Amino acid sequence: MAKKKTIRSIPQERTPMREQAPQARAKNFEEVACGYGLEEALRESERCLMCPDEPCISGCPVGINIPAFILKITEKNFRGAYDILTDTNLLPSVCGRVCPQENQCEGVCTVGESLEAVAIGRLERFVGDAAIREGWTNIPYIEPNRFKVGIVGSGPAGMACAADMAKAGCDVTVYEAFHQAGGVLKYGIPDFRLPNEVIDAEIDNLKKLGVKFECNTLVGRLFTIDQMIGEMGFHAVFVGVGAGYPTMLGIPGDSLNGVLSANELLTRCNLMRAKEFPDYDTPLPMGKRVAVVGAGNTAMDATRVSLRLGAEKVYCIYRRSRTEAPARAEEVHHAEQEGVEFHWLTNPASILDDGKGGVLGMRCVRMELGEPDSSGRRRPVPIAGSEFDFAADLVVYAIGTNANPIMGQTSSLKLNKRGYIDVDENLAASVAGVFAGGDIVTGAATVIEAMGAGRKAARSMKAYLGIRDAGLPYLNRSGTGAGTLFGIDTRERNFARVRVA
Ligand SMILES: Cc1cc2nc3c(=O)[nH]c(=O)nc-3n(C[C@H](O)[C@H](O)[C@H](O)COP(=O)(O)OP(=O)(O)OC[C@H]3O[C@@H](n4cnc5c(N)ncnc54)[C@H](O)[C@@H]3O)c2cc1C
Ligand code: SF4
């Protein structure tokens, strides 16, 4: 029998992940973090104590059986690790790269109380990437039922809901406004953090489940949600359209040429491949001195994309201090390493006109932190007489996004005061048969939370349609009595495991 591990007996240091050098990577769109190799993954997996109370599982929004998949890695059974991951998580390669693990599973890892937490995300990525390389997929035999389900939006929320409904036997069609599926994973998060091939490989698994994708389809314009339910024969619809409507600051100079939202910059660069201009016919304003306003993940992506597009100077302007920055610490660190100049406690007052309708620079004011506001963060207060100007030719706003009003304008769905879709605790919207989840319900959140919402909505949809559900969709833990695969009770009549590759 294996000797019980203790905090003293495991490798004390977290296994580092190789990265491209900052100077080299700031000039290319290759992935920054190279991922673990075999030896590194095996070493890191040894750091898991296999704690009996498994706090990491509850720290994961989709309840991945983390110790079980890590155990499989220690046994060098990587396919087994993949099987466990895909019991609950559709996108291990994506989540291993972009989930804020430090606030989720790793944030509650027991090892983290004395040493650095087990690198759960890196191990998840290792297994997910092995699956892509080896072509592994887990496709169940699905007995079709008579239900037709429509999914609006192909981001992580829509994909997770589509997967669960397809596995339950429904005929699922995903409608996507853009020409490619993937949501923010595709149009927002740049290749150097999440390569498009990784997303495509994981979307292929959905297609193998029988999910159909209809791109270039803006629901609300081509047809409405009410028509989907009333005329197009859908028995249920999930709305996962995200919250991609940009916010502008509303200061003088907002409408100058050379002021754009981070979403526009990132979409042009990532989805429309402006970074490969002229091979791709997408224009993108190139700034020599770029000021990005905001300090969330989107802002970090915008600063780092600007560097890679050839900017000589990139500034990040944020009205609070580094401690309050909403971006993952790792992203801020990477941006700093690559040469982004951070101006904390600095607020834009106006954008200066170059006299030809373009941007000459920015006028900012220094801030200090006052009393905490309703969010619990200390409120930034302007310091009188501290205005200063600096030169810039491109200004990018990354100060948050809102719900696109199109859903509210074109359907009878009830919205809340902030314009997001109003749902009950089961994610049912105000129209019978319509469910919603992800950023369009919560406002901007995370990939894994959106996936968790998609899965929860699928469960409610099954109840609404009268499809039997195991009631245990998230966990495949010992002691539950039943095994689940992809979150489906393996005792279900229409379910059998078929390993196709
Ligand atoms: C630049 C950026 C970086 C981020 N980085 C991270 C990160 O590192 N880690 C993390 O966990 N989270 C990150 N996030 C947040 C995360 O990506 C989102 O919370 C998540 O993608 C939300 O998923 P969703 O499915 O609700 O919506 P989205 O991913 O926004 O997908 C919605 C989809 O619906 C489509 N759509 C919209 N309206 C319609 C319509 N009318 N008809 C048809 N289709 C429509 C959109 O085109 C889009 O493809 C980031 C977000 C951004 C913008
Ligand atoms: S909390 Fe950390 S050490 Fe404990 S089982 Fe989870 S990953 Fe392993």
Side-chain angles (χ1 to χ4, degrees), residues 178 183-190 241-248 259-272 282 284 292-293 297-299 301-303 305 395-404 439 444:
F178 278 133
V184 169
L185 307 180
K186 204 56 165 303
Y187 79 74
I189 303 181
V241 291
Y245 200 67
T247 309
M248 303 301 270
V259 181
L260 73 167
S261 72
N263 267 14
E264 181 178 348
L265 173 87
L266 294 170
T267 305
R268 282 174 182 267
C269 179
N270 303 331
L271 182 73
M272 317 289 291
T282 305
L284 182 63
V292 175
V293 183
N297 284 327
T298 309
D301 286 341
T303 58
V305 156
V395 175
V396 182
Y397 285 162
I399 51 170
T401 48
N402 288 309
N404 189 313
D439 284 5

Side-chain angles (χ1 to χ4, degrees), residues 47-51 54-56 66-67 70 108-111 118 120:
R47 297 184 72 235
C48 175
L49 294 170
M50 305 290 151
C51 327
E54 306 165 329
C56 48
I66 291 165
I70 295 181
V108 292
C109 168
T110 314
V111 174
V118 176
I120 300 168

Side-chain angles (χ1 to χ4, degrees), residues 27-310:
K27 299 199 170 20
N28 68 51
F29 278 85
E30 304 297 314
E31 256 195 302
V32 168
C34 306
Y36 278 164
L38 176 64
E39 292 308 318
E40 292 154 324
L42 289 174
R43 179 184 184 277
E44 187 60 20
S45 66
E46 284 303 331
R47 297 184 72 235
C48 175
L49 294 170
M50 305 290 151
C51 327
D53 55 343
E54 306 165 329
C56 48
I57 299 184
S58 350
C60 169
V62 295
I64 293 175
N65 193 339
I66 291 165
F69 101 79
I70 295 181
L71 181 64
K72 293 286 179 205
I73 297 180
T74 60
E75 295 167 355
K76 298 192 184 167
N77 180 354
F78 307 120
R79 176 68 199 239
Y82 176 72
D83 289 347
I84 292 171
L85 278 171
T86 49
D87 271 355
T88 46
N89 185 5
L90 177 71
L91 310 170
S93 272
V94 171
C95 294
R97 283 173 168 82
V98 303
C99 275
Q101 293 103 5
E102 62 278 17
N103 304 326
Q104 296 175 342
C105 52
E106 294 178 12
V108 292
C109 168
T110 314
V111 174
E113 290 168 16
S114 322
L115 308 168
E116 265 196 291
V118 176
I120 300 168
R122 294 174 181 182
L123 291 173
E124 183 181 15
R125 169 181 167 169
F126 170 77
V127 176
D129 286 359
I132 293 176
R133 230 178 13 254
E134 301 296 329
W136 298 333
T137 40
N138 283 334
I139 306 297
Y141 165 74
I142 300 166
E143 191 174 300
N145 59 31
R146 63 188 174 85
F147 295 114
K148 193 173 155 190
V149 168
I151 308 278
V152 186
S154 68
M159 287 198 275
C161 186
D164 278 6
M165 295 315 289
K167 287 169 208 157
C170 301
D171 173 5
V172 180
T173 307
V174 179
Y175 294 106
E176 167 55 48
F178 278 133
H179 64 286
Q180 284 184 23
V184 169
L185 307 180
K186 204 56 165 303
Y187 79 74
I189 303 181
D191 287 34
F192 56 81
R193 279 213 295 135
L194 180 60
N196 277 356
E197 307 85 71
V198 171
I199 308 157
D200 289 340
E202 306 219 88
I203 291 175
D204 270 353
N205 285 341
L206 267 187
K207 293 186 180 158
K208 288 181 193 155
L209 283 174
V211 175
K212 292 175 283 230
F213 285 87
E214 299 274 348
C215 291
N216 295 312
T217 307
L218 182 65
V219 177
R221 290 286 177 263
L222 278 180
F223 49 82
T224 64
I225 301 275
D226 297 335
Q227 281 175 313
M228 287 175 79
I229 290 283
E231 298 166 25
M232 293 167 69
F234 286 102
H235 298 97
V237 169
F238 173 76
V239 185
V241 291
Y245 200 67
T247 309
M248 303 301 270
L249 266 177
I251 56 173
D254 256 2
S255 54
L256 289 171
N257 279 332
V259 181
L260 73 167
S261 72
N263 267 14
E264 181 178 348
L265 173 87
L266 294 170
T267 305
R268 282 174 182 267
C269 179
N270 303 331
L271 182 73
M272 317 289 291
R273 311 309 278 178
K275 66 190 173 72
E276 289 158 51
F277 186 84
D279 292 343
Y280 281 77
D281 194 13
T282 305
L284 182 63
M286 300 282 191
K288 289 283 165 232
R289 287 171 167 263
V290 181
V292 175
V293 183
N297 284 327
T298 309
M300 293 312 115
D301 286 341
T303 58
R304 300 172 70 198
V305 156
S306 301
L307 278 177
R308 285 160 174 79
L309 290 172

Side-chain angles (χ1 to χ4, degrees), residues 10 36 40 244 258 264 356 365 393 460:
I10 60 172
Y36 278 164
E40 292 154 324
E264 181 178 348
K356 292 178 260 171
V365 59
D393 47 18
S460 305

